[in-house]
Amino acid sequence: MMFAEARVKYEEALAAWEHPNLRLYLARVLTRIGLPLLAYENLRLALRWGPGTLAPEKEQEARAAMRALMEHELAAIEIRCDEPGAAVLLDDKPWFVGPGTERRMVTPGEHVVIVRRDGYSTIVKPILIIAGKEASGRFTRRVDTVIGQPPWPAWIPWTVVGAGAALGVAGGGLMWSGAADKGNQGGGDLATGAFVAAGATMITGTVLLLMNRPQVHRVHDRGEVKVELRPIPSLGPGGLPTRLVF
């Protein structure tokens, strides 16, 4: 209860007056109540103005506490995304928009990095990381490939259309022959049948032509993702990791 009350008091004080000592005191409380990520952030803020801001013993305490959290209770994820306009999310929450490189301290366990951009497939990369390690990765995006392929070879519907045209020509010939030979009733019936067959065949061929248009579908390119694990870098003079990009 005392730690919880102290946290509230320090946060109220910091809202009125930003001071590195208050950040250090709040970090102590957050560490004791099991909130290492918030404790780390307050230690970072306490050291952000560089050496000499805190008294020497307090600065040493802050650096030691920060190092202990990084080695035993926290992990780091650093992501580089070269695609302009691509939104990068960490654990389904907005992180940054590419191009760029960002680094964040996280709790150990599984985290999910997502990269989204209109017209591109979404990249989803689960990352399992343990305390004291840093996961570093680069996302390379490529646009989806659109492929169109007809259901049948092109010659099939055109052959049907050609057959219908041929039947129509044959019907015309039979009708001309029937007109020349007025006594040939059978020739007229054959011409009528040929015209009917020609019409049906032409309709079938036309339908096949319409149905044989390319069927478009996307081939999703999941992009290239490479993630490596390595020890978290040592702290620099300002209390921050000495390597922020790779």
Side-chain angles (χ1 to χ4, degrees), residues 67-78 103-109 111 127-136 227-233 241 243:
R67 187 176 299 107
L69 289 173
M70 292 170 63
E71 292 176 353
H72 304 293
E73 296 192 56
L74 296 176
I77 295 179
E78 183 184 84
R103 184 178 188 274
R104 179 173 291 184
M105 300 300 295
V106 296
T107 54
H111 297 272
I127 299 174
L128 182 62
I129 187 170
I130 61 177
K133 298 293 183 180
E134 176 180 279
S136 180
V227 175
E228 61 177 7
L229 295 179
R230 54 193 172 203
I232 292 180
R243 185 195 54 75

Side-chain angles (χ1 to χ4, degrees), residues 31-46:
T31 301
R32 294 293 296 271
I33 63 178
L35 296 173
L37 199 56
L38 288 176
Y40 172 89
E41 181 61 20
N42 278 275
L43 290 168
R44 185 188 69 81
L45 293 173

Side-chain angles (χ1 to χ4, degrees), residues 9 35 60 78 118 122 150-151 154 160 169 175 185 192 210 216:
K9 294 297 184 181
L35 296 173
Q60 184 177 0
E78 183 184 84
D118 292 341
T122 298
V160 176
V169 172
M175 180 171 288
Q185 183 64 34
T192 302
L210 293 174
V216 176

Side-chain angles (χ1 to χ4, degrees), residues 51-246:
T53 305
L54 292 168
E57 67 277 5
K58 289 182 179 179
E59 182 176 334
Q60 184 177 0
E61 175 193 346
R63 291 180 182 279
M66 201 172 185
R67 187 176 299 107
L69 289 173
M70 292 170 63
E71 292 176 353
H72 304 293
E73 296 192 56
L74 296 176
I77 295 179
E78 183 184 84
I79 294 298
R80 174 178 172 180
C81 179
D82 297 328
E83 186 62 38
V88 182
L89 295 83
L90 178 61
D91 295 331
D92 210 28
K93 295 180 180 179
W95 188 3
F96 69 97
V97 177
T101 302
E102 292 290 336
R103 184 178 188 274
R104 179 173 291 184
M105 300 300 295
V106 296
T107 54
E110 184 175 80
H111 297 272
V112 179
V113 177
I114 301 173
V115 181
R116 293 175 178 163
R117 185 186 172 190
D118 292 341
Y120 290 68
S121 58
T122 298
I123 297 177
V124 179
K125 180 65 177 180
I127 299 174
L128 182 62
I129 187 170
I130 61 177
K133 298 293 183 180
E134 176 180 279
S136 180
R138 176 178 179 177
F139 285 70
T140 302
R141 304 298 313 278
R142 291 194 297 267
V143 71
D144 291 353
T145 303
V146 178
I147 295 179
Q149 186 174 359
W152 313 290
W155 62 267
I156 293 178
W158 285 111
T159 299
V160 176
V161 171
L167 286 172
V169 172
L174 290 171
M175 180 171 288
W176 182 82
S177 298
D181 187 2
K182 298 185 181 297
N184 187 0
Q185 183 64 34
D189 293 339
L190 287 174
T192 302
F195 280 130
V196 171
T201 304
M202 290 288 289
I203 291 174
T204 301
T206 302
V207 171
L208 290 176
L209 282 173
L210 293 174
M211 294 176 62
N212 203 42
R213 289 180 297 181
Q215 304 297 312
V216 176
H217 64 281
R218 289 187 179 274
V219 176
H220 294 295
D221 183 350
R222 295 299 178 185
E224 298 175 355
V225 183
K226 182 181 179 182
V227 175
E228 61 177 7
L229 295 179
R230 54 193 172 203
I232 292 180
S234 60
L235 295 179
L240 299 176
T242 57
R243 185 195 54 75
L244 294 180
V245 298
F246 68 97

